[in-house]
Amino acid sequence: MSSFSAPSTGRRRNLYAPPPCPHLADYRSNAHGLAKPFRSLQPCLRVRPLGRPEIRREPQEIPRCSPCSAADGGGCGMGPRLYACLACAAVCCPAHAPSHAEECRPGHEIAVDVDRAELFCCACGDQVYDREFDKAVVLAQIAAAAANASASCSLPESLRKRRRVDYRPWTPDPREWATMRRESSPLLLPDASDPYSAGAANTSTSSPSSPPWGLRGLNNLGNTCFMNSVLQALLHTPPLRNYFLSDRHNRFVCQQKRRRKKDGSGGSMGGDRRNPSGGLPVCLACDLDAIYSGVFSGDRTPYSPAKFLYRWWQYASKLASYEQQDAHEFFISMLDGIHENVEQDQHKPQSQGNGDCCIAHRVFSGVLRSDVTCTICGFTSTTYDPCLDISLDLDSNQNYTNVPTTKSHACNGENDLILSSQICGVSTLMGCLERFTRPERLDSDQKFFCQHCKVRQESLKQMSIRKLPLVTGFHIKRFAHSSIKKMSRKVDRYLQFPFSLDMAPYLSSSILRSRFGNRIFAFDGDDSDAAIDLASEFELFAVITHSGTIEAGHYVTYLRLSNQWYKCDDAWITHVSENIVRDSQAYMLFYVQKTLYYEASEDVSAS
């Protein structure tokens, strides 16, 4: 295929650039009185519902090959491919396009595929590419996607005004009590003197014969359910658990290093939040290592993380109180504390964006991509931001109407969940991810400075996932705050989530490939990594739920261990069925990669 672009250099040096088409170059040089190339095609660019561009003068126009129609006496003249001449708008099939270019030359060699909006050289008999033309097509696609997105968010009149209903605490009736007893079974303590048998589950057929290793309740130390729920999820995060249980971070060795570092500095290590009292600096990784040792010691009696709570108060002094805290805020604060205190690996790049700086970022750190496109000239600004989890909107005004989608989730067995988004008051995790990666038009007060236009312009923004972490965490925004009304509320909207999730449709490589196809469009860093595409299938292993209101709520964690689900409600551990987990009000979801891919290391000792 021919291209009117200079040979690629830099990071695209492995791609072969064919010689440019001389007929396209001649067409662009305005040698035949054509004032502005491709300007006449702007009103004819149309986008189908599924996003494929086409060329039509009228929306309902059916193009036909003129020579074929004349030979057939006014017949159909509709072949598999039809090309419209850019000079005279004559429509020809592949058989008559070369003869039209030869008879009407010069200036009639370049045509456009009316069904695919792609340039074609009738003289060369091959596709040709032009950046300016592709930018116009892509801009039309983005504008159409944004228009469809804004139209899909509109609500019927009957659903705009909703009656306020005061919150009433739920008390189970006798029938619900019977269902709860039938669907769940507590892990009893038959013999408290035997730590290895204490807490074993009963012998009912619906629960396992013995609880998994390391499953231990955590005592509530006073409104600390937010901490217990996050700790349970982290304690059973497979890569993090394997790291600490393999003694990769030994708290005794770490304390010795910090003590020697303090003695070498003359004891002047106080004054910061990691060392408020002038002693050894706070190391949350050491305290987490102590919890791992206690939880996986074999003792089934509830564990009290009092020392860890005190050390976290020292690290996050602004949150040091017995008041209720947000579990997501604690999760981010804890990972930041591990990131600041864990000694960095000297054998790997010290880049937070690459996720190689500490164990917290190696497990949870991913990279988001943000594309902001100018609606006037099509210039795109791309930025990359590291993230520890993905926050998804769960507004009560979304997903009332089902938006047609071409994404397939058959591998998750969740086709019925996607269709169920038509139900009022029900959202799906896939729908939230599609909304997260959907193009949106920025407000007039959010105009960005276009480097091509040299002024602030209207723009479209689209998010995507550039790099997936080993463990992907989703934070569901259930707490809405209004600065205008000066009030906060909780979104008690039911969320359907799959136990197996394919993240491939939301990767940057997939979104760019589905939106632009094989077009040549200037985007920085759009080279897809094969390992990223392969490691896109995830399994759910932890769900943190929130029940109640903003003022008075409670956090509970559901864990998937040995293919069984367990409810961790502070000190109480019970075996539950999958239906109980599906019916829960998810606040945070944790998925781990099904298959882990390792990069080869030059130094064996570094691994």
Side-chain angles (χ1 to χ4, degrees):
M1 297 183 182
S2 301
S3 171
F4 184 69
S5 59
S8 301
T9 58
R11 57 184 178 86
R12 296 182 184 271
R13 59 183 178 274
N14 58 333
L15 299 180
Y16 170 72
C21 174
H23 307 96
L24 179 61
D26 188 39
Y27 177 82
R28 287 186 54 87
S29 64
N30 300 327
H32 304 288
L34 299 176
K36 296 182 178 180
F38 314 122
R39 178 59 62 89
S40 59
L41 292 178
Q42 293 289 344
C44 302
L45 276 173
R46 306 186 188 279
V47 180
R48 301 181 189 177
L50 295 181
R52 174 173 292 182
E54 63 182 8
I55 302 296
R56 294 290 190 277
R57 286 175 292 189
E58 299 295 337
Q60 305 300 328
E61 180 186 10
I62 301 178
R64 306 175 189 273
C65 176
S66 301
C68 291
S69 299
D72 296 341
C76 62
M78 299 175 61
R81 304 288 289 268
L82 294 176
Y83 303 104
C85 179
L86 293 183
C88 63
V91 179
C92 301
C93 64
H96 296 96
S99 59
H100 172 77
E102 183 67 23
E103 295 172 0
C104 302
R105 63 181 306 179
H108 291 255
E109 294 85 359
I110 305 300
V112 59
D113 191 326
V114 297
D115 291 326
R116 292 173 173 81
E118 296 175 350
L119 295 180
F120 182 82
C121 180
C122 301
C124 299
D126 198 1
Q127 269 186 313
V128 293
Y129 291 103
D130 182 87
R131 291 184 179 272
E132 297 300 327
F133 175 77
D134 285 343
K135 285 183 180 181
V137 175
V138 169
L139 190 60
Q141 289 178 298
I142 297 177
N148 294 334
S150 60
S152 64
C153 296
S154 60
L155 296 177
E157 182 65 24
S158 58
L159 298 179
R160 292 180 184 175
K161 297 181 179 179
R162 304 183 63 189
R163 180 170 58 91
R164 277 187 175 273
V165 179
D166 296 333
Y167 172 79
R168 291 180 298 176
W170 172 70
T171 302
D173 54 27
R175 183 178 179 180
E176 292 171 335
W177 272 116
T179 303
M180 293 170 59
R181 294 190 184 98
R182 182 174 64 255
E183 296 291 340
S184 62
S185 56
L187 300 179
L188 304 178
L189 303 177
D191 186 5
S193 61
D194 184 6
Y196 292 94
S197 63
N202 56 17
T203 58
S204 63
T205 57
S206 61
S207 62
S209 58
S210 60
W213 191 259
L215 187 60
R216 187 176 181 183
L218 300 178
N219 287 324
N220 193 315
L221 306 177
N223 289 330
T224 60
C225 60
F226 71 94
M227 179 185 69
N228 292 342
S229 61
V230 174
L231 285 178
Q232 289 285 12
L234 294 180
L235 287 173
H236 298 280
T237 298
L240 197 66
R241 176 197 60 200
N242 297 342
Y243 178 86
F244 280 95
L245 294 185
S246 60
D247 209 25
R248 297 294 299 274
H249 182 89
N250 189 302
R251 60 185 181 278
F252 303 106
V253 175
C254 182
Q255 291 173 2
Q256 293 177 359
K257 291 182 178 179
R258 287 183 290 149
R259 188 174 290 107
R260 288 196 299 265
K261 184 177 180 180
K262 177 186 176 183
D263 296 339
S265 60
S268 58
M269 295 181 63
D272 61 356
R273 63 176 181 175
R274 294 179 297 174
N275 185 32
S277 60
L280 290 178
V282 176
C283 180
L284 294 183
C286 290
D287 300 305
L288 186 60
D289 181 61
I291 297 180
Y292 270 104
S293 299
V295 169
F296 285 87
S297 63
D299 189 359
R300 297 294 187 184
T301 58
Y303 181 85
S304 295
K307 183 177 180 181
F308 180 87
L309 177 63
Y310 173 71
R311 302 287 282 181
W312 180 68
W313 279 352
Q314 289 182 304
Y315 173 75
S317 57
K318 295 182 179 180
L319 302 177
S321 68
Y322 284 102
E323 297 179 355
Q324 296 186 56
Q325 304 293 342
D326 181 62
H328 177 253
E329 186 177 5
F330 170 76
F331 171 75
I332 298 299
S333 174
M334 183 175 174
L335 295 187
D336 288 342
I338 296 177
H339 167 68
E340 291 186 8
N341 294 281
V342 171
E343 183 178 359
Q344 297 181 346
D345 192 346
Q346 301 299 324
H347 301 284
K348 295 184 178 181
Q350 309 296 323
S351 173
Q352 178 177 349
N354 293 333
D356 292 334
C357 54
C358 65
I359 182 58
H361 287 88
R362 292 179 200 172
V363 175
F364 294 98
S365 179
V367 179
L368 296 178
R369 170 175 176 149
S370 175
D371 293 326
V372 181
T373 304
C374 175
T375 58
I376 305 301
C377 68
F379 173 80
T380 300
S381 174
T382 302
T383 56
Y384 300 93
D385 298 309
C387 65
L388 294 176
D389 62 358
I390 300 176
S391 296
L392 301 176
D393 289 318
L394 188 65
D395 191 83
S396 58
N397 292 333
Q398 75 175 40
N399 290 342
Y400 276 100
T401 57
N402 185 36
V403 180
T405 176
T406 58
K407 296 183 176 67
S408 174
H409 302 276
C411 61
N412 303 331
E414 300 296 333
N415 287 331
D416 54 338
L417 298 186
I418 299 179
L419 296 178
S420 65
S421 62
Q422 304 175 28
I423 304 175
C424 178
V426 176
S427 298
T428 65
L429 180 63
M430 289 75 69
C432 294
L433 285 170
E434 291 171 4
R435 187 172 186 267
F436 178 76
T437 56
R438 182 185 303 166
E440 62 174 344
R441 186 178 296 273
L442 299 180
D443 298 334
S444 57
D445 56 344
Q446 296 179 323
K447 293 182 178 180
F448 93 113
F449 183 81
C450 178
Q451 299 181 9
H452 184 267
C453 300
K454 303 301 180 182
V455 294
R456 294 189 176 274
Q457 300 283 18
E458 300 284 345
S459 58
L460 296 173
K461 180 180 179 181
Q462 184 172 25
M463 299 291 299
S464 58
I465 302 174
R466 179 66 182 91
K467 175 192 173 185
L468 287 168
L470 297 179
V471 175
T472 300
F474 296 106
H475 164 232
I476 311 301
K477 297 181 181 179
R478 291 196 174 272
F479 304 117
H481 307 281
S482 176
S483 58
I484 300 178
K485 298 182 180 180
K486 296 182 179 180
M487 59 178 297
S488 301
R489 64 182 179 89
K490 182 187 175 185
V491 182
D492 289 313
R493 186 178 179 87
Y494 177 63
L495 176 71
Q496 292 178 334
F497 49 89
F499 285 1
S500 296
L501 178 64
D502 185 9
M503 292 293 293
Y506 317 108
L507 294 177
S508 301
S509 56
S510 300
I511 291 179
L512 295 179
R513 192 181 301 115
S514 62
R515 188 172 58 174
F516 304 127
N518 57 354
R519 298 186 181 278
I520 299 178
F521 195 66
F523 279 104
D524 293 333
D526 61 349
D527 293 333
S528 60
D529 188 355
I532 296 178
D533 294 336
L534 292 175
S536 61
E537 295 186 1
F538 287 76
E539 284 284 347
L540 180 68
F541 72 91
V543 180
I544 297 179
T545 66
H546 181 273
S547 58
T549 63
I550 296 181
E551 294 79 12
H554 184 61
Y555 290 99
V556 171
T557 299
Y558 293 93
L559 293 175
R560 186 180 186 181
L561 302 173
S562 301
N563 207 26
Q564 298 288 334
W565 283 98
Y566 299 89
K567 178 182 179 181
C568 303
D569 188 356
D570 288 334
W572 295 91
I573 306 294
T574 56
H575 175 261
V576 297
S577 64
E578 290 186 357
N579 294 333
I580 298 296
V581 181
R582 294 186 186 275
D583 294 339
S584 63
Q585 196 175 84
Y587 180 61
M588 297 182 69
L589 300 165
F590 294 92
Y591 289 83
V592 63
Q593 286 185 10
K594 288 185 178 180
T595 305
L596 301 180
Y597 293 86
Y598 299 91
E599 294 182 358
S601 176
E602 297 179 358
D603 187 359
V604 179
S605 62
S607 60

